[in-house]
Amino acid sequence: MPIDLTRYSLFAKGYRLTLLANQGYCNSNYIAQTDKDTYLVRHFKLQNIDRAFEFSIQKKAHTKGLAPKPLLLDTEQNLMVTEFATGEHKFTLNKKELRELALTLRKLHKVRVRKKPHNHKKDFKYKHKKANATLLKLKKYKRDLVLCHHDLNPRNIFFTKKVTLVDWEFAGVNDKYFDLATVCVEFKLSREIEQYFLRCYASIHSREKLELYKVLYRELYMVWMGENITY
């Protein structure tokens, strides 16, 4: 079904809708341009996500300066309209950028939200022996539960004078080490640079726990992207 934006006051005077070249796995993304502004339209592919929760979390993140402002959610048309984020995706980070990302995550992890913590056990089938063994080892650690973005790959992070995070559909309550481990893996941080990143974030007490979450993230990535992918 084609997207119809004319029902919304934002687009009542007309708009131009353009499919973005780089698409994610969970949404079809469009630029909607009016005479005054530019917006992002996310047409949902996945139907098993609580979009109302996603919208509310992005709204909270926006008030903290962490995300583009979400403007409307239409579950009938399976779409969300947000402000259009600008900036640069970076796949290697210098120390200044890494520090800004660490401080952004500190701010995110202080946002309060009521939500049942994510259960990683449900992410893996019985045959995922490495993941399940890792989860077993993690049981000895107290969970540092915070609001996590849960999808901190470089394409969901914009760098300008500040750091902006997009695509909040997987956001939820989890151990803060999950987000931190994701950054370490996705940006392939060396041991020295990783130490710098963690010092900037602060409040990290267990290297072993972080290493376990890095293993867990790699295994989860394999599940997301297909069993034949190597990281």
Side-chain angles (χ1 to χ4, degrees):
M1 184 178 70
I3 296 173
D4 177 20
L5 301 181
T6 57
R7 65 179 71 181
Y8 314 122
S9 59
L10 282 174
F11 306 103
K13 295 183 179 180
Y15 62 91
R16 298 179 300 280
L17 194 65
T18 306
L19 184 67
L20 284 170
N22 296 320
Q23 293 297 313
Y25 294 96
C26 306
N27 311 284
S28 295
N29 297 308
Y30 298 83
I31 296 177
Q33 294 175 296
T34 67
D35 290 339
K36 293 184 178 181
D37 292 295
T38 301
Y39 304 93
L40 177 71
V41 179
R42 299 171 61 231
H43 193 226
F44 309 138
K45 295 178 184 177
L46 295 182
Q47 303 302 313
N48 59 343
I49 292 176
D50 186 346
R51 298 296 179 174
F53 179 74
E54 175 190 354
F55 189 85
S56 68
I57 289 301
Q58 185 165 340
K59 185 180 288 187
K60 284 189 174 186
H62 169 70
T63 63
K64 301 295 184 180
L66 305 173
K69 185 177 182 179
L71 301 170
L72 65 90
L73 173 66
D74 187 336
T75 53
E76 180 183 339
Q77 288 203 94
N78 288 317
L79 64 81
M80 183 187 298
V81 178
T82 73
E83 292 178 336
F84 190 77
T86 59
E88 183 181 356
H89 298 303
K90 299 195 174 187
F91 297 87
T92 57
L93 303 179
N94 60 37
K95 283 191 171 183
K96 180 180 178 182
E97 293 158 348
L98 205 55
R99 181 177 183 275
E100 288 303 313
L101 181 54
L103 295 178
T104 297
L105 292 184
R106 280 185 63 183
K107 189 181 293 187
L108 167 63
H109 292 165
K110 291 179 181 178
V111 175
R112 293 189 176 185
V113 58
R114 289 186 177 182
K115 186 74 171 178
K116 188 177 179 180
H118 184 78
N119 183 1
H120 281 296
K121 190 73 174 177
K122 294 181 179 180
D123 294 329
F124 302 100
K125 298 178 182 178
Y126 68 91
K127 65 179 180 179
H128 291 98
K129 293 181 180 179
K130 190 173 183 179
N132 289 318
T134 302
L135 288 171
L136 190 61
K137 291 177 182 177
L138 280 167
K139 281 189 174 182
K140 73 176 185 179
Y141 296 98
K142 180 182 177 181
R143 298 180 76 185
D144 297 284
L145 295 176
V146 298
L147 172 63
C148 285
H149 182 277
H150 270 169
D151 194 12
L152 292 170
N153 73 77
R155 290 179 179 82
N156 288 339
I157 305 170
F158 283 99
F159 288 89
T160 53
K161 291 182 180 179
K162 65 174 185 175
V163 175
T164 301
L165 306 178
V166 299
D167 285 2
W168 290 82
E169 58 208 339
F170 296 120
V173 174
N174 200 354
D175 197 301
K176 65 185 180 183
Y177 281 73
F178 184 87
D179 272 356
L180 297 171
T182 302
V183 170
C184 294
V185 173
E186 285 286 347
F187 290 96
K188 299 178 175 64
L189 302 186
S190 68
R191 185 77 172 189
E192 178 185 354
I193 298 301
E194 184 177 287
Q195 287 285 81
Y196 175 78
F197 169 65
L198 298 176
R199 285 198 302 271
C200 292
Y201 178 87
S203 301
I204 294 299
H205 306 295
S206 174
R207 287 289 317 185
E208 182 182 346
K209 184 180 177 183
L210 181 68
E211 292 301 320
L212 289 171
Y213 268 102
K214 286 161 70 173
V215 172
L216 190 68
Y217 177 72
R218 290 188 181 100
E219 292 299 303
L220 189 54
Y221 182 91
M222 297 278 280
V223 172
W224 284 340
M225 305 304 292
E227 297 295 332
N228 61 333
I229 291 179
T230 57
Y231 205 95

